[in-house]
Amino acid sequence: MRILWQNNTSENIPGFRAFSPFWGFLQQELDKVARPGTQVEVRHLGHSTNYVRSRYGDFVNNSCLVEQVLDAEEQGYDGVILGCFPDPQLYALREVMNIPVVGIGEAAMLTALALGYRFAVVTVDDAIVPNMDMQVRLYGLEDRAIYRPVRAVRPPFTREHYLKGMTDPHGVLVPAFFETARECVRDGAEVILIGCGYMGFILTSNSITRMDGEVPLVNPGACAVKLIEGLVDLESSVGLRKSTAGYFKPPGEGLVKAIRAAAREDRS
């Protein structure tokens, strides 16, 4: 099974090149989660705004992401994971692709429903909270989440925090994360979702999977890997696949090609 993990950023901006040591770590952690026979390949965008913490930045970046992900089917991938918690353009991609497409945010929320009654999301920056809060509503899960279901650590985590956190998560990352998570638990959360694909693997790689011995900490990337493995298996074994009767009914191969051609002309 060959799965694409699609990042929503590019390494073509100098500030992100310093982050390159993290990609080897991410690949290593994905390999641990995937079962034998599953290959998860991390890929970056060729073009990116490298900023998704605003509605506008997210919108522009998503146009780059969608065009790149659409090529995955022809490239032989069995499924796609969108490696950013807000699940950028998950529904648009499900509409036009025949292979399974999974968002790590949705995968984490679906997993949380089986682990406890009410969940909360602890994310890494206040600027991205509105996107994630809207996501909970889009999935219809407000009644299974606490009041103000998405809350951020303070101060925000930076790339430098992630790089240091690979080997020393207890310096800054864990204390800040737990402080916000405990606030969520006091307000009724029984399950905490780690609201960042990168942060999730930093915690689980250091065996940090529960808080205070009681509250599960859900790694969204790991959930996405297991969900997409299951979806690919269900299609091959019993023929179960996405519905095309409503929201995910594709507009037709010819129209998709025409839209993609128009998008390429606009960029030129």
Side-chain angles (χ1 to χ4, degrees):
M1 187 184 303
R2 186 174 172 223
I3 303 300
L4 171 65
W5 173 288
Q6 181 64 64
N7 279 333
N8 67 339
T9 55
S10 165
E11 288 194 294
N12 294 332
I13 292 180
F16 277 76
R17 291 176 192 147
F19 199 53
S20 59
F22 189 85
W23 305 131
F25 166 81
L26 176 61
Q27 185 66 65
Q28 172 184 297
E29 294 306 309
L30 289 168
D31 291 342
K32 288 180 185 177
V33 172
R35 69 189 185 203
T38 297
Q39 181 182 9
V40 185
E41 301 174 20
V42 177
R43 187 171 72 181
H44 309 287
L45 292 179
H47 300 282
S48 172
T49 65
N50 283 302
Y51 191 78
V52 295
R53 297 179 183 184
S54 79
R55 303 298 297 173
Y56 175 65
D58 188 48
F59 171 79
V60 175
N61 199 70
N62 285 346
S63 66
C64 305
L65 180 141
V66 167
E67 285 306 302
Q68 185 161 311
V69 171
L70 285 178
D71 292 328
E73 206 163 342
E74 294 179 0
Q75 293 165 348
Y77 291 99
D78 297 297
V80 175
I81 295 171
L82 303 175
C84 183
F85 198 95
D87 299 341
Q89 292 303 304
L90 173 61
Y91 283 3
L93 288 164
R94 278 191 181 151
E95 178 193 66
V96 296
M97 298 188 76
N98 295 311
I99 58 176
V101 183
V102 166
I104 66 172
E106 185 188 53
M109 291 184 207
L110 294 176
T111 303
L113 301 183
L115 300 178
Y117 191 76
R118 294 198 186 278
F119 69 83
V121 182
V122 176
T123 190
V124 298
D125 192 331
D126 271 320
I128 205 167
V129 167
N131 282 11
M132 292 187 179
D133 184 72
M134 191 173 293
Q135 187 181 8
V136 175
R137 299 174 189 278
L138 175 65
Y139 298 155
L141 296 177
E142 303 102 306
D143 290 342
R144 296 294 299 274
I146 67 170
Y147 167 72
R148 287 181 51 237
V150 184
R151 306 184 189 184
V153 300
R154 291 179 180 156
F157 290 162
T158 65
R159 291 190 292 275
E160 288 70 26
H161 286 134
Y162 289 138
L163 289 171
K164 187 173 182 181
M166 288 189 291
T167 55
D168 181 24
H170 295 281
V172 174
L173 296 185
V174 170
F177 186 89
F178 274 27
E179 181 179 358
T180 302
R182 288 194 176 101
E183 174 191 301
C184 294
V185 171
R186 287 194 294 270
D187 288 345
E190 301 159 50
V191 181
I192 299 295
L193 278 58
I194 305 167
C196 173
Y198 305 158
M199 181 68 180
F201 284 111
I202 288 175
L203 294 186
T204 55
S205 72
N206 286 277
S207 301
I208 303 168
T209 59
R210 297 180 78 82
M211 187 178 70
D212 301 332
E214 295 183 329
V215 180
L217 303 177
V218 177
N219 176 346
C223 294
V225 171
K226 303 323 276 184
L227 176 57
I228 204 158
E229 285 180 332
L231 289 173
V232 173
D233 283 349
L234 284 168
E235 181 169 353
S236 63
S237 61
V238 297
L240 186 62
R241 60 185 304 178
K242 71 165 187 176
S243 171
T244 56
Y247 286 109
F248 301 145
K249 182 176 182 178
E253 184 178 349
L255 185 53
V256 171
K257 288 181 177 178
I259 293 169
R260 296 193 75 189
R264 285 191 290 269
E265 287 176 8
D266 285 346
R267 286 200 182 94
S268 62

